[in-house]
Amino acid sequence: MSGGRGRRRFYLVVHGHFYQPPRENPWTEEVEREVGASPYHDWNQRITDQCYRPNSAARLVNGEGRILEIVNNYSLMSFNFGPTLLSWLQRNDPITYARILEADRESLHTHSGHGNALAQVYTHLIMPLATYRDKSTQVRWGIKDFIFRFRRKPEGMWLPEAAVDRETLAVLAQNGIKFTILAPQQAKRIRRIGGKRWRNVTPESLDTTRAYRCFLKENYIDIFFFNHPFSWELSFGDLLKDGELFTQRLTSVLKPRARGNQLILLATDGETFGHHKPFGEMALAYVLAKAAPQRGLKVTNLGEFLAENPPQWEVEIDEGPRGEGSSWSCSHGVERWRGDCGCSTGGQPHWNQRWRKPLRQGLEWLSEKLKVIYENQAKGYFKDVWWARDEYIDVILDRSAKCVDRFFKKVQCFPLNKDEKIKCLKLLEMQRNSMLMFTSCGWFFADISGLETVQILKYAARAIELARCFSKEDLEGTFLKLLHKARSNIRRYGNGRGIYRKFVKPKAISAKLVIANYSMHLPLQRAKGKIAQPYSYQIVDAKGEIKRRRGEIFSWGKASLENIFTQERGDFLYLSRFQSQGRLDCWVKECHALLPSPPSSLEELISQVETERGWEHFALEGLPGEWKGEILRAMKGMMLQEVSRRWRGIYQNNLALMLYLKERGETIPQVLKQLFSFLLTQEIEEGLRGMRKGFEKNYKFVNKLHSEVDMIGFPRVDKGKLASLLSDLILEGIESLCKRVSEKEVIKVNMLLDLADNWGLKPDLRGAQESFYPLWKGLRGAINVSLRELAERLGFSV
């Protein structure tokens, strides 16, 4: 179906829109635990494990399920990632993040200098509902984020929900974007370039096998329209259950008798491949890497297709029923993000979305107020306040002192002192949060109490908090009055004001609370180590002591805390007290002047806390849930350490007796079995960790312990934990083997696999397989017997 010069060609592009709404707490910039994502910590983590990482290493398997190849789907498909999601991946899964970037670099070589990756509007707001100024900032931030990560300029840009109006297209074109992707229902009429007669089109009559040019007042932009029926089947049908079924559907849409080259463009949420459709990434890999090329389709990307097939037709877009924009996910234009249009009732026939209108009105009112504050306060410091906001993306991407200084040198009217810089950073953070509060997901679902809507209200609350530094106006009070009109479908929540007070306000984190959390960890810290801090804060200087007195543990001292986003710094005194019955309290005082020397004794500090003003009390129960959980686990760890220490001797002294009783048919009391089983599991875990320093010694040690478990008949505790530790060790062993291929390293990995087999454990071998595959692929023709056997044990077809 494809051939040389002069013959028609058939192209295939599968585009994945990979995106998650920003989930970070605006005060800590960390994603909090989300119960609905269990057993994972949060939805980002869950979807990464089910989709983003599997697509970077998709398996092609034989009929027995053994691995033939591992394919990076991102190197074969067109894709865009939300900038905020890429930022999260960079911090939390650098391996997947690196594979995404590498795939784009690889595609540049494969597709004549055109990369697979597209940029995306930064905070996923609905562009037709945004002001021109916000449109511009969003596009410029998206482009700069893309350049920062992919080291090239983007050719195309994905619009959130494919929501578009002519002004949005103009902003894209003004910023050098060559093309975007829309749904076929967003085309109004077409004609040949240079022709006079327009032809109205419908989603059914529009030819989606070619690119179109949309002429604007000053320039133009090219538009691709995806094949809607096929894309719908891919998203909601069964095509991803079977790669052959997917392939058959591909060939059915080709038009061999039609003139000219043909493009099959499929577009869907990237999460379809693995998250919504389990193992969908495997079907996609099979089609893109094998089946499509074998059937004569050129697997390409939109940049290359456009270079080889410039548009011959122009298009006029449909701007929706009210002429204010259209989208791919709302048949009413863009009403889903501002009105009760009927889209998404959450499966509840009596629910409504009348809350959407007052929510948007409230946020738009707040946004305008914040812009006035920003402009009035910043105009004396910046050459152009809105240009400075556009350039602030450089700081968002790199918060280092060097980058912040470079930013200010570029935008400031005159050299700013430290306090002036802090003021400007607060204003810019206020603006960043004010744009995050328009993230589209806040309106997408059925009720105002949903996670996504609560999240955008958190951004509003953080912006209001920052605005208090510059304005005495009660922005929050007026905002809550507007939210009062947004009624929830769930009676117990009432309205937006009640939801704000119940779910948003308690999430605010103060600097004193960060110090309290830090100091509460200190009495529980047996081993010296760094205490984890919220991402947005860092302890820059801390001096203190820990002291036991009459069964209580006290930690006390002074600490300096800096917000890395605003560079605001505070100095604090703290005192925490841990009592043996589990009560944990802390007192914190901010020192507004130069920090005094710490008290000379614990007694002096306790006296100050009791007599001086300014000390704020924090109880463990008052900490945020996840912080409290970390401290409770630390308490449990202290207790278990003590129990293990005491019972270890009892176990050793009675081991021979227990074996003697077992041989004579006597049963060991169940309570002892449970205690000793826990103890042995702890020691096995320690032995596994010890293999990193002394492999053979600890290998013998854990085998001996496990044989005791079997001999006495202890119930095994926490198989999952042991399997997880073995998974890590096997991965480390494979990585070591790949660096230096030797029989010794092969033997080590096999010994670890033997442990898993003997103990009935099922370690996760995905990471080991992915690390081993390049070695296996490179040496397959001349691989020795031991490596071949190891490959088979890891699940490869040999």
Side-chain angles (χ1 to χ4, degrees), residues 77-121:
M77 68 188 300
S78 171
F79 66 87
N80 73 278
F81 268 84
T84 54
L85 175 58
L86 278 180
S87 176
W88 182 90
L89 281 170
Q90 184 182 16
R91 284 167 50 189
N92 294 277
D93 192 345
I95 292 175
T96 299
Y97 176 76
R99 289 174 182 169
I100 292 166
L101 304 189
E102 175 57 33
D104 183 69
R105 287 193 291 271
E106 183 180 331
S107 69
L108 288 168
H109 296 290
T110 307
H111 299 302
S112 310
H114 302 278
N116 286 352
L118 274 63
Q120 182 199 285
V121 168

Side-chain angles (χ1 to χ4, degrees), residues 586-740:
C586 175
W587 292 264
V588 178
K589 180 179 181 180
E590 184 172 7
C591 304
H592 295 284
L594 286 175
L595 187 65
S597 299
S600 58
S601 67
L602 174 61
E603 288 72 18
E604 181 184 343
L605 183 57
I606 293 173
S607 174
Q608 286 185 15
V609 169
E610 291 174 346
T611 59
E612 291 184 4
R613 293 181 179 180
W615 288 91
E616 186 172 348
H617 172 254
F618 296 90
L620 176 61
E621 290 72 22
L623 291 186
E626 201 156 351
W627 294 7
K628 180 168 64 177
E630 289 174 0
I631 290 176
L632 290 173
R633 284 189 290 275
M635 289 182 181
K636 185 170 69 173
M638 284 180 62
M639 178 183 68
L640 293 177
Q641 261 189 337
E642 183 66 19
V643 169
S644 297
R645 185 183 64 79
R646 295 186 180 186
W647 278 90
R648 189 173 287 113
I650 297 173
Y651 171 77
Q652 293 294 340
N653 293 336
N654 290 277
L655 176 59
L657 177 59
M658 285 189 287
L659 290 172
Y660 177 83
L661 292 172
K662 179 80 184 299
E663 290 170 359
R664 281 149 183 80
E666 292 293 327
T667 58
I668 309 298
Q670 190 65 24
V671 63
L672 289 179
K673 281 188 176 183
Q674 292 289 351
L675 283 168
F676 290 146
S677 178
F678 165 77
L679 174 64
L680 288 173
T681 303
Q682 293 283 100
E683 296 209 346
I684 289 172
E685 289 176 11
E686 290 178 14
L688 289 173
R689 293 188 186 96
M691 285 186 186
R692 293 184 172 99
K693 294 183 177 178
F695 185 86
E696 292 183 8
K697 176 183 175 182
N698 282 287
Y699 183 84
K700 292 177 182 178
F701 175 66
V702 297
N703 258 327
K704 172 181 174 294
L705 290 175
H706 198 271
S707 66
E708 291 173 9
V709 171
D710 285 340
M711 282 190 296
I712 301 175
F714 291 150
R716 290 179 185 152
V717 177
D718 204 351
K719 273 190 174 185
K721 186 67 174 293
L722 296 181
S724 177
L725 284 169
L726 270 176
S727 300
D728 293 341
L729 289 168
I730 292 167
L731 172 58
E732 291 165 15
I734 292 295
E735 290 174 342
S736 179
L737 172 65
C738 292
K739 290 176 183 175
R740 184 174 179 272

Side-chain angles (χ1 to χ4, degrees), residues 121-125 134-142 435:
V121 168
Y122 192 80
T123 67
H124 211 269
L125 52 67
D134 286 351
K135 284 184 174 84
S136 297
T137 297
Q138 288 286 320
V139 169
R140 290 167 185 167
W141 282 15
M435 284 192 286

